Amino acid sequence: MTSMSRARVARRIAAGAAYGGGGAGLIGAAAVGLLLAEVRLARRHVGNGGGGRVPVADGVYGHAYDVPGEPPLRLTMLGDSTAAGQGVHRSGQTPGALLASGLAAVAERPVELRNVALPGAQSDDLDRQVALVLSSSSPVPDICVIMIGANDVTHRMPPTRSVRHLSTAVRRLRTAGAEVVVGTCPDLGTIEPVQQPLRWLARRASRQLAAAQTIGVVEQGGRTVSLGDLLGPEFEANPRELFGPDNYHPSAEGYATAAMAVLPTVCAALGLWPAEEERPDVSRREGFLPVARAAAEAASEAGTEVTAAMPTGPRGPWALLKRRRRRRVPEAEPARPSV
């Protein structure tokens, strides 16, 4: 599928989400029976994203930057097993801990991490997770990172419904005052036990959903980072190194790769990235595009950021597409319990 075709599909899905349409599935009806059979077979090997122990990583990172009287930055993770960190054994290997440590190093300020992500969650669970975050007695997070979408594809949630739940979550968090970065649906076409034709269908569905998610998030004032390489090209090339023991969830190295892709956008959202790097770099194929086209391009290239840039024009809302240089994420130190 070309970038322009993917942009049209993403635009239709996002429009259906905005205007309450039920929406069709991401794949044609003729393929549904075959896909269901393949999904059942694949689930015997990889499960459905749920179950298994997830290390608890909540707490304060960056003790070396403590300043009396200055509160830490507040980072909250929402989403599914990827956001929770399923597949690793130590809390410091989870994406939340890695992002908290990296953010603390850039900001030179402690970061308090809270993780409300739920393994196996689909986008409709974000309503509950956001309520949990906003109903807490603690202050609103400075920034929220959401990773969601893989289970929507494997459970055939209508994409318009998926995007509607995500957009609502972003709007509620932004209205409350939090910055929001969303890691869009990863490329499920590279999961090792998944065979053809499900592999092709899963890749197509993943990228379509990722593009539609980007449109919905950007329109609500959030930023997105394509996580195609979370289960994408790097994982396909190095499955033994970057996948965990179940060949579905990332290993510690895989989560570090994802955290490196997300950290620059988290820092930029908080105004911590150098101003000169906020200007588009033509040599890196960055620039202003209609949001649907930017979303389609980002879905095809892992680590690409999309953020709102200009008011809506004759061709719809515009966005800035950036390919930020990845920042090495320091190894997470043990967290200090939150006060």
Side-chain angles (χ1 to χ4, degrees):
M1 179 179 287
T2 66
S3 177
M4 293 303 291
S5 298
R6 192 176 295 114
R8 285 193 294 271
V9 172
R11 199 161 40 231
R12 286 199 300 271
I13 293 171
Y19 295 107
L26 284 164
I27 58 172
V32 170
L34 178 60
L35 177 58
L36 287 175
E38 290 285 346
V39 165
R40 292 189 192 103
L41 180 62
R43 279 182 184 164
R44 294 175 191 171
H45 295 283
V46 303
N48 63 1
R53 177 184 172 275
V54 178
V56 177
D58 290 19
V60 179
Y61 294 79
H63 317 307
Y65 305 110
D66 273 331
V67 175
E70 183 176 0
L73 288 169
R74 295 174 296 274
L75 164 66
T76 297
M77 302 290 295
L78 305 90
D80 55 22
S81 55
T82 301
Q86 186 170 355
V88 295
H89 301 293
R90 298 199 302 272
S91 60
Q93 297 172 325
T94 63
L98 292 167
L99 285 172
S101 294
L103 178 57
V106 174
E108 296 187 345
R109 184 174 167 186
V111 174
E112 182 178 1
L113 171 67
R114 184 185 182 199
N115 198 324
V116 299
L118 178 68
Q122 299 176 53
S123 290
D124 54 5
D125 191 59
L126 289 175
D127 299 345
R128 181 193 64 81
Q129 294 183 29
V130 171
L132 194 61
V133 171
L134 298 183
S135 65
S136 171
S137 58
S138 58
V140 173
D142 294 292
I143 189 156
C144 295
V145 175
I146 303 173
M147 297 179 179
I148 199 83
N151 295 317
D152 296 10
V153 174
T154 60
H155 289 76
R156 296 181 57 243
M157 176 182 286
T160 50
R161 183 181 168 204
S162 175
V163 173
R164 188 181 308 128
H165 282 295
L166 176 59
S167 299
T168 299
V170 174
R171 181 171 64 250
R172 290 172 65 191
L173 292 168
R174 293 289 292 129
T175 300
E179 297 292 338
V180 181
V181 173
V182 174
T184 55
C185 182
D187 184 354
L188 298 178
T190 58
I191 297 175
E192 197 173 67
V194 176
Q195 302 300 316
Q196 296 290 13
L198 177 59
R199 185 182 294 270
W200 178 84
L201 293 170
R203 169 164 289 161
R204 179 185 175 195
S206 301
R207 291 186 175 183
Q208 286 180 1
L209 180 57
Q213 286 177 319
T214 295
I215 296 174
V217 169
V218 168
E219 288 180 345
Q220 298 302 327
R223 302 179 185 227
T224 63
V225 178
S226 168
L227 289 186
D229 71 351
L230 183 62
L231 297 172
E234 293 184 55
F235 282 43
E236 192 170 32
N238 305 289
R240 293 289 175 258
E241 179 183 352
L242 291 173
F243 275 122
D246 60 4
N247 284 338
Y248 184 88
H249 294 100
S251 65
E253 291 82 1
Y255 279 130
T257 299
M260 281 193 296
V262 174
L263 179 60
T265 300
V266 167
C267 294
L270 291 171
L272 299 171
W273 220 235
E276 60 270 18
E277 291 197 22
E278 294 307 298
R279 293 188 292 270
D281 185 341
V282 177
S283 68
R284 294 170 62 83
R285 296 178 292 116
E286 299 177 344
F288 299 100
L289 296 169
V291 66
R293 185 176 161 197
E297 289 200 17
S300 301
E301 185 172 344
T304 306
E305 175 190 319
V306 180
T307 186
M310 297 180 181
T312 300
R315 298 176 66 186
W318 284 63
L320 173 60
L321 184 146
K322 288 191 68 65
R323 297 173 171 87
R324 295 187 184 274
R325 294 175 176 85
R326 295 185 186 181
R327 177 83 178 221
R328 191 184 72 81
V329 179
E331 185 175 344
E333 61 184 22
R336 184 180 62 205
S338 302
V339 177

